[in-house]
Amino acid sequence: MQKKLSVRHLLGIKNITTDDIELILDTASSFKEVINRPIKKVPSLRDITIANIFFENSTRTRLSFELAEKRLSADVINFSASGSSVKKGETLLDTVNNILAMKVDMVVMRHSSVGAPHFLSRHVKAHIINAGDGTHEHPTQALLDAFSIKEKFGTIAGKKVCIFGDILHSRVALSNIFCLQKLGAEVMVCGPPTLLPRYIKDLDVKVETNLNKALQWCDVANVLRIQLERQTIKYFPTLREYALYYGINRSRLEHLDKEILIMHPGPINRGIELSSDVADSKHSIILDQVENGVAIRMAVLYLLAGMP
Ligand code: CP
């Protein structure tokens, strides 16, 4: 019998099981083979209509979902809040119900409000996929990150992964912590104390404020962007000072007695959290992450479409 997910929406990593994650990663491996063939399209989601609803900016996630949907032969409609009737005061629920009235089966949504996709999932019949809700979760990013680590090392269990930077404002951090822990990795977070949330001590992760010690500890450095657009107060004096104490550059990596894998979900603030010589080095798998994102999103869409 074909394995199935335990959920009919992908709202976060917190509420899915380790079996769900492993099923998504295994399914993504098969889809990665498909998208590397000369004929990249399969008919799996023919006659399924998917709406990509983005209330916040995106490059990678939006394009990657759209490509995944097209590779699966789904019909795709795209909605951006800018230029829509949201600007005339239409509510989220009215917006989505109007889109669903056009017979949409699945909704991929990014929103600046924490819990927006969870709210929708309680009010509409379509399958909902969270493409990032505020500072909360970004489940497909965590899944593609896990896939990329597994692809490199063959396993995730026992690997030491440190998430660096603006943990406080990051949905990538939270989804990664849940995902990596469920797959048996050891997780550390490292950043200035002002950018480490108070709840972090309840998540069973190691916490380090010294960048060099964290780099020495980890096998994988997942470096996050400073999210200036979400920072309403000053969390550090200047970007120059941030780069001085928390920027990862070649000189810092050359002082380690080992090589580590460099990841970043993008977009990169080059020269702030990561120098270009590291971002573009042979240790960086940043573009592999982007490539793997398509296969992961194909797997998520395919598996959810099989749920009642
Ligand atoms: N990693 C990520 O979510 O990138 P975008 O904001 O460009 O989608």
Side-chain angles (χ1 to χ4, degrees), residues 214-234:
L215 286 171
Q216 191 58 56
W217 176 84
C218 67
D219 303 309
V220 180
N222 195 352
V223 189
L224 303 181
R225 181 173 68 91
I226 289 293
Q227 300 204 27
L228 291 172
E229 75 278 16
R230 296 193 205 278
Q231 298 184 7
T232 47
I233 59 168
K234 260 186 170 305

Side-chain angles (χ1 to χ4, degrees), residues 64-296:
S64 173
F65 265 112
E66 186 173 344
L67 192 57
E69 291 153 5
K70 288 179 171 168
R71 296 274 188 254
L72 291 167
S73 305
D75 294 320
V76 180
I77 53 174
N78 290 306
F79 166 94
S80 298
S82 58
S84 76
S85 291
V86 168
K87 296 287 170 208
K88 300 176 197 163
E90 192 165 35
T91 66
L92 171 63
L93 197 52
D94 280 343
T95 301
V96 174
N97 273 329
N98 277 271
I99 292 169
L100 293 182
M102 301 175 206
K103 306 289 176 229
V104 165
D105 304 292
M106 304 177 94
V107 174
V108 175
M109 187 173 77
R110 171 168 288 189
H111 202 285
S112 57
S113 296
V114 169
H118 306 69
F119 167 79
L120 262 199
S121 71
R122 292 193 291 273
H123 290 90
V124 302
K125 280 204 191 115
H127 299 283
I128 308 294
I129 300 169
N130 181 0
D133 63 323
T135 56
H136 183 214
E137 281 227 41
H138 190 351
T140 55
Q141 181 68 46
L143 290 164
L144 74 88
D145 289 345
F147 185 93
S148 304
I149 296 171
K150 191 172 173 191
E151 190 173 58
K152 208 71 194 167
F153 292 116
T155 181
I156 292 171
K159 288 292 157 207
K160 293 179 175 173
V161 183
C162 185
I163 305 169
F164 288 90
D166 186 355
I167 312 297
L168 183 65
H169 299 99
S170 174
R171 52 194 173 212
V172 175
L174 203 53
S175 286
N176 258 273
I177 290 168
F178 294 141
C179 191
L180 291 165
Q181 286 181 333
K182 285 181 193 215
L183 294 173
E186 281 187 70
V187 185
M188 176 184 276
V189 293
C190 174
T194 49
L195 289 176
L196 299 174
R198 254 185 251 165
Y199 63 74
I200 204 77
K201 63 183 185 316
D202 302 325
L203 295 182
D204 202 22
V205 296
K206 294 180 192 306
V207 179
E208 180 58 71
T209 53
N210 182 304
L211 184 82
N212 291 331
K213 284 186 186 168
L215 286 171
Q216 191 58 56
W217 176 84
C218 67
D219 303 309
V220 180
N222 195 352
V223 189
L224 303 181
R225 181 173 68 91
I226 289 293
Q227 300 204 27
L228 291 172
E229 75 278 16
R230 296 193 205 278
Q231 298 184 7
T232 47
I233 59 168
K234 260 186 170 305
Y235 291 89
F236 47 85
T238 60
L239 285 174
R240 195 168 160 272
E241 194 156 331
Y242 182 86
L244 194 62
Y245 287 96
Y246 289 99
I248 296 179
N249 55 37
R250 189 157 60 187
S251 142
R252 284 194 194 275
L253 296 186
E254 280 172 356
H255 279 91
L256 303 178
D257 55 21
K258 59 178 183 178
E259 294 188 346
I260 61 173
L261 201 64
I262 302 292
M263 303 175 70
H264 193 301
I268 305 171
N269 290 313
R270 285 179 181 261
I272 299 176
E273 69 265 5
L274 199 56
S275 65
S276 283
D277 53 10
V278 175
D280 304 328
S281 71
K282 65 178 170 39
H283 305 297
S284 158
I285 58 162
I286 294 170
L287 292 179
D288 300 291
Q289 292 172 259
V290 178
E291 180 186 344
N292 291 334
V294 179
I296 281 291

